[in-house]
Amino acid sequence: MVNEVNRKPAPQEADQTLLSDNALEELRTAITSSSGSHALKRTLQKLGATEIDYSLIEQLKKKVDRLIRSDPRQALLVAELAVSLSRLSADAAARALGERTKAMALHVLSRYAEAVEHYGLARLLYREAGREVETARVERAMVDALIY
């Protein structure tokens, strides 16, 4: 979809470009590449991202949110990518979102103990980032996982 006023891609089109299956595979390959950070930087530039920040991890989370209902195992693969990328970020909130995303995918797959571990990491990172509302949301989700 193209916005006719300024001929730039609409926001949802930009999200789809970054989160295509090919883009996800390129990011996975770049993370595991022997050339290390150079390959990742090149891939991020190709995808229009200047760095690993909160918005990049948020886009991966949105992909997980969509997949979690239709293909939970694929959602976990994307969540693992999100957590791997987020751990390379200097932003504590981005790292927290990566952990939370993986926790959600594990939770849906009934892997409760692992989910609780990632929720716990997310909670600590959100506190570090000063994101009290997000901390509370993670704690609420963690309670549900602890019930099982």
Side-chain angles (χ1 to χ4, degrees):
M1 173 195 262
V2 176
N3 185 332
E4 295 300 323
V5 175
N6 58 15
R7 304 295 296 161
K8 291 182 181 177
Q12 44 292 37
E13 184 180 4
D15 284 355
Q16 290 170 355
T17 302
L18 182 62
L19 298 176
S20 71
D21 290 340
N22 289 337
L24 293 174
E25 190 55 42
E26 286 182 41
L27 285 168
R28 273 191 203 100
T29 302
I31 287 175
T32 59
S33 172
S34 60
S35 59
S37 65
H38 179 69
L40 182 57
K41 284 181 185 178
R42 192 172 56 240
T43 302
L44 288 171
Q45 287 173 343
K46 181 178 174 184
L47 298 173
T50 57
E51 63 183 352
I52 299 170
D53 61 4
Y54 190 87
S55 66
L56 175 63
I57 305 307
E58 187 174 39
Q59 289 180 44
L60 291 168
K61 181 190 176 290
K62 288 177 184 178
K63 178 80 167 180
V64 170
D65 289 343
R66 286 191 295 270
L67 284 169
I68 220 160
R69 289 173 178 75
S70 61
D71 190 350
R73 285 179 179 38
Q74 182 64 29
L76 180 58
L77 292 175
V78 176
E80 287 171 344
L81 176 61
V83 85
S84 294
L85 283 170
S86 72
R87 288 177 178 169
L88 300 173
S89 176
D91 181 5
R95 294 192 312 273
L97 186 59
E99 296 294 341
R100 180 180 179 189
T101 300
K102 185 167 182 181
M104 291 169 26
L106 290 165
H107 193 154
V108 167
L109 289 166
S110 302
R111 293 168 57 180
Y112 302 115
E114 293 170 86
V116 167
E117 180 181 331
H118 288 278
Y119 280 134
L121 291 170
R123 179 178 59 181
L124 293 173
L125 289 164
Y126 275 131
R127 276 196 187 135
E128 179 184 320
R131 301 270 187 107
E132 296 305 320
V133 171
E134 297 304 319
T135 301
R137 288 181 177 148
V138 166
E139 288 172 342
R140 186 184 67 213
M142 188 190 294
V143 167
D144 185 59
L146 285 167
I147 290 172
Y148 297 99

